[in-house]
Amino acid sequence: MGSKYELPLVELSPIEDFCSQNPCCPPNMLSPTYPSPTSCLPIEKLKDVEDEIAAANELLLDLALNERSPQEIYRNAFRGLEGLYVEVTLNTDNKVEGHVQIAGFDFVVLLNEKQEVIIPYSVIDEVKPCGRYAVPIHEASLRDVDPCFRREVAYHFGEVVSSSPELLHLFFGMRLPIYLLSLEAKRIELTFDGIELKGFVTDVNKDSIVLRIEKELRIIPLAKLTLIKRKKESIS
């Protein structure tokens, strides 16, 4: 899918920050830094404090998210878990594990040693982080863009972002039907309504996905999807 602006983007000197000839800000004054321990508390006491903080944060999060939709809750949660290994419990009581690769608008992509797993937020019951540290994700960042491109984004946001799938995902999150377009002509394993099907994707639209199983074509509504699996070795 082509676009006017392509990623990855090129990092330039911060002096040319906004395609401007005359710098508007004075140079930064360096402040002295000193090494320090992560905490002055003993390890046992620090663990108790961290547990209390985690419990308080969980309570505050529950109170704050009461009026939000499950889709919005999981979207924000997975964005904070990108790069981490997680365990996801589905409303079918099945569990799936993997690193959070993409946190889309209405779905998440997990990647483990064997396969890529695509899960709509609507079928998720619970998410548990299994890893303590996130794996660095080497992706283009708006901090590294060409200054003239930064200016275009600032002054022509709608035109620029709408012309780039990468920027649409960066700012708003990609929707499931758009991501599934990348599976066309790929062999997948699909689960819906307790039924498992294996076949090749022949078509995708905003409401359904078409699977070819031998000589038969099956049309599966996206609203009934539980998950989609694709073998890792087949990922291009």
Side-chain angles (χ1 to χ4, degrees):
M1 187 179 295
S3 63
K4 181 179 177 181
Y5 302 97
E6 300 290 343
L7 298 180
L9 305 167
V10 180
E11 180 178 7
L12 297 180
S13 169
I15 297 176
E16 301 176 5
D17 191 53
F18 203 68
C19 210
S20 174
Q21 300 297 325
N22 300 314
C24 304
C25 302
N28 293 332
M29 299 295 293
L30 296 179
S31 301
T33 57
Y34 304 95
S36 63
T38 56
S39 174
C40 59
L41 297 174
I43 295 178
E44 297 79 11
K45 181 64 175 177
L46 178 61
K47 185 179 184 305
D48 291 339
V49 172
E50 288 177 340
D51 289 342
E52 291 174 3
I53 292 173
N57 284 338
E58 185 174 353
L59 175 60
L60 292 173
L61 187 62
D62 288 341
L63 293 173
L65 298 180
N66 274 341
E67 297 182 358
R68 297 188 185 180
S69 67
Q71 182 170 284
E72 184 179 0
I73 293 172
Y74 286 122
R75 180 166 64 245
N76 292 334
F78 280 114
R79 283 176 179 173
L81 292 170
E82 285 186 334
L84 279 178
Y85 198 86
V86 300
E87 178 187 87
V88 177
T89 303
L90 309 181
N91 56 18
T92 57
D93 292 331
N94 294 331
K95 295 184 178 180
V96 184
E97 294 184 0
H99 288 93
V100 178
Q101 184 186 34
I102 296 176
F105 184 85
D106 52 1
F107 72 101
V108 64
V109 178
L110 302 183
L111 194 63
N112 55 42
E113 294 181 356
K114 297 181 179 179
Q115 58 196 359
E116 173 188 16
V117 184
I118 305 166
I119 311 172
Y121 294 148
S122 59
V123 302
I124 296 177
D125 269 352
E126 186 179 23
V127 182
K128 292 182 180 178
C130 297
R132 184 173 179 182
Y133 301 105
V135 178
I137 301 175
H138 301 289
E139 294 182 346
S141 165
L142 288 181
R143 293 180 56 189
D144 307 327
V145 301
D146 178 280
C148 293
F149 175 74
R150 182 181 289 110
R151 188 179 186 89
E152 285 295 305
V153 171
Y155 290 103
H156 307 284
F157 182 84
E159 177 185 351
V160 173
V161 173
S162 63
S163 68
S164 168
E166 295 90 347
L167 289 176
L168 278 171
H169 177 65
L170 180 63
F171 285 104
F172 303 109
M174 193 180 300
R175 293 180 184 267
L176 181 58
I178 300 300
Y179 185 78
L180 294 182
L181 289 172
S182 66
L183 300 183
E184 288 189 341
K186 306 289 186 180
R187 183 174 179 84
I188 65 170
E189 179 180 333
L190 181 150
T191 305
F192 75 104
D193 285 349
I195 303 171
E196 293 185 359
L197 298 175
K198 294 181 180 180
F200 289 90
V201 178
T202 62
D203 192 23
V204 177
N205 59 54
K206 65 177 183 178
D207 297 316
S208 63
I209 181 171
V210 181
L211 207 61
R212 178 168 61 82
I213 306 168
E214 296 181 352
K215 296 182 179 181
E216 179 187 4
L217 292 179
R218 292 287 301 269
I219 301 175
I220 297 96
L222 297 184
K224 293 187 176 182
L225 277 181
T226 301
L227 56 83
I228 294 175
K229 296 180 181 179
R230 182 158 63 110
K231 286 185 179 180
K232 189 174 180 180
E233 57 265 28
S234 69
I235 300 173
S236 56

